Amino acid sequence: MKLGCSYFGNRILRHVAQDMKYLAENHFTYVVHTFSENDFRFYSGAMKEIIRISKECGLFTCIDPWGVGRVFGGEAFSEFVAIHPDVCEMLSDGKPAAIACLNNPAFRKFIHEWTDAALATDADCVFWDEPHFYLSNWMGGRPNTWGCRCQYCQEQFEMKYNIPLPNEETATVKEFKHYSIRSFLQEMINHVHKAGVKNSLCIIPNSVASDSALRDLAGMDNLDDFGTDPYWFGIKRDVREYVGESSRKIAAVCRELGREGHIWIQGFKVPAGREAEISTAVREAVDAGIRNLAVWGFDACAHISSIAPEDPAKTWKVILEAFKSVKDL
Ligand SMILES: [Zn+2]
C-alpha cells in the first residue's frame, strides 16, 4: 500500500525535517510537495533541501505545479498571468480570464522552465495536479462564460476541424479542449520521463467528457500513475457513492492500461461531526482495488484557514487511523 500526504505552507527546514520524520513514522510512504510560482521564483534552493530531507526520512517525493498559471489546481496565485495578460485565456464574453492558455507557446515555454526547476530539486516524480482550462465556477470565474477563444485556440481548432471555432462550447469544442490538455501534458510528461523521473496525473473528477477520453489520458506515453480526487464535502454527494464510483473507474482503467491508480482523500473543509466519513472514503477506495491513497493535506490543513476543517485535530486523528488500518494491504 502506498500512502501519501501533501505538504505546503512551510519552508523552514528544521520544521520540515520534523514533519517528514513524523509522516514516515505514521505509515506514510510518500509526500507531495507543492512547488508554486512563488516557490519557483523565491524558494528553489530550499525546495531542493526539502526534497533531500524527505528522501532521508525514507519518503518517495513528488513535486506539484500548484496553481502555476492557474492551469493547475491549488490555493496559490499566479504571477505569470499578472505579468503576461496576453498569454491568458480569452473567454466567450470577449474578455480575458486570469488563467494562462495551455495552447499558448509562451505558457508552454514557461512550464518547461518550471519543469526544469522541478527536476533540479531531484524529486522522484512530477505530480500533474488537476490540469484544466478555465472553470467558470472556480476562483474569479464569471457565470455563463467559457474559454478559450484566444488566437492560438482559434488557429489550432480551425486547422484540426476545418471550421472556425464556434461561439458556443459545443461537443466538438470540448473534444478540442480534451486533445489540447492531452497534447500539453504529453509534451511535459515526455520531458520529465527523459530525465528519468516519474509522472503522476490527477484529473478533476468527471472533468472528461467520456470514458474513452478518460482512457485516452490514462494511456498517455510515459505516464506512471493516474488518479482523481473525489472530494465530497462541499458538494451534495454521498461519500460512499462518490468515492466508490470514482475509485472503481480509476481502478478499472489503470488495470486495463497497466498504470498505477491513485485516489485522493479529502482532509480539508471537513464539517464537525462528519470526520468518520473519511474512514468510509478510505474503505471505498481500497475495496475498489486502489492501493495508492493520498490525503490533502498535512495536519488536515489546520494551518490554511480558508479550507481548514472545523475540528482539524479530530480530522487528522481519523485520517491517521484510517490510513493505518489499510497500510498492510
Ligand atoms: Zn487559448
Side-chain angles (χ1 to χ4, degrees), residues 107-264:
F107 182 63
R108 291 206 180 194
K109 182 172 173 282
F110 179 64
I111 285 292
H112 272 285
E113 289 162 12
W114 177 92
T115 305
D116 287 339
L119 293 172
T121 66
D122 294 328
D124 299 300
C125 176
V126 176
F127 173 67
W128 302 105
D129 189 349
E130 299 184 333
H132 59 269
F133 272 95
Y134 163 83
L135 301 166
S136 61
N137 60 356
W138 188 62
M139 296 208 289
R142 303 194 286 276
N144 305 313
T145 54
W146 65 273
C148 173
R149 299 187 48 78
C150 80
Q151 166 206 345
Y152 295 99
C153 286
Q154 301 221 21
E155 282 170 12
Q156 289 181 28
F157 185 91
E158 197 155 343
M159 204 184 297
K160 191 172 172 62
Y161 297 98
N162 277 322
I163 51 166
L165 180 65
N167 291 321
E168 303 297 317
E169 193 182 24
T170 62
T172 312
V173 170
K174 286 180 182 164
E175 183 188 86
F176 169 74
K177 287 165 72 170
H178 164 73
Y179 286 125
S180 297
I181 290 176
R182 191 189 193 284
S183 122
F184 168 78
L185 287 172
Q186 188 66 77
E187 186 178 325
M188 304 310 154
I189 285 171
N190 287 346
H191 183 64
V192 167
H193 178 77
K194 268 189 208 137
V197 171
K198 291 198 179 303
N199 284 284
S200 174
L201 168 63
C202 174
I203 58 161
I204 298 171
N206 306 316
S207 60
V208 291
S210 63
D211 286 351
S212 70
L214 186 82
R215 198 175 300 112
D216 189 44
L217 286 179
M220 276 187 293
D221 293 339
N222 302 319
L223 180 65
D224 298 285
D225 85 74
F226 180 70
T228 190
D229 46 5
Y231 300 144
W232 69 98
F233 292 117
I235 60 167
K236 289 187 172 65
R237 287 295 305 268
D238 173 69
V239 57
R240 187 164 281 134
E241 191 185 282
Y242 190 45
V243 177
E245 92 191 15
S246 302
S247 303
R248 284 188 290 277
K249 211 176 251 194
I250 293 296
V253 75
C254 288
R255 202 176 302 123
E256 182 190 327
L257 296 168
R259 300 283 185 265
E260 190 172 309
H262 72 259
I263 289 289
W264 281 88

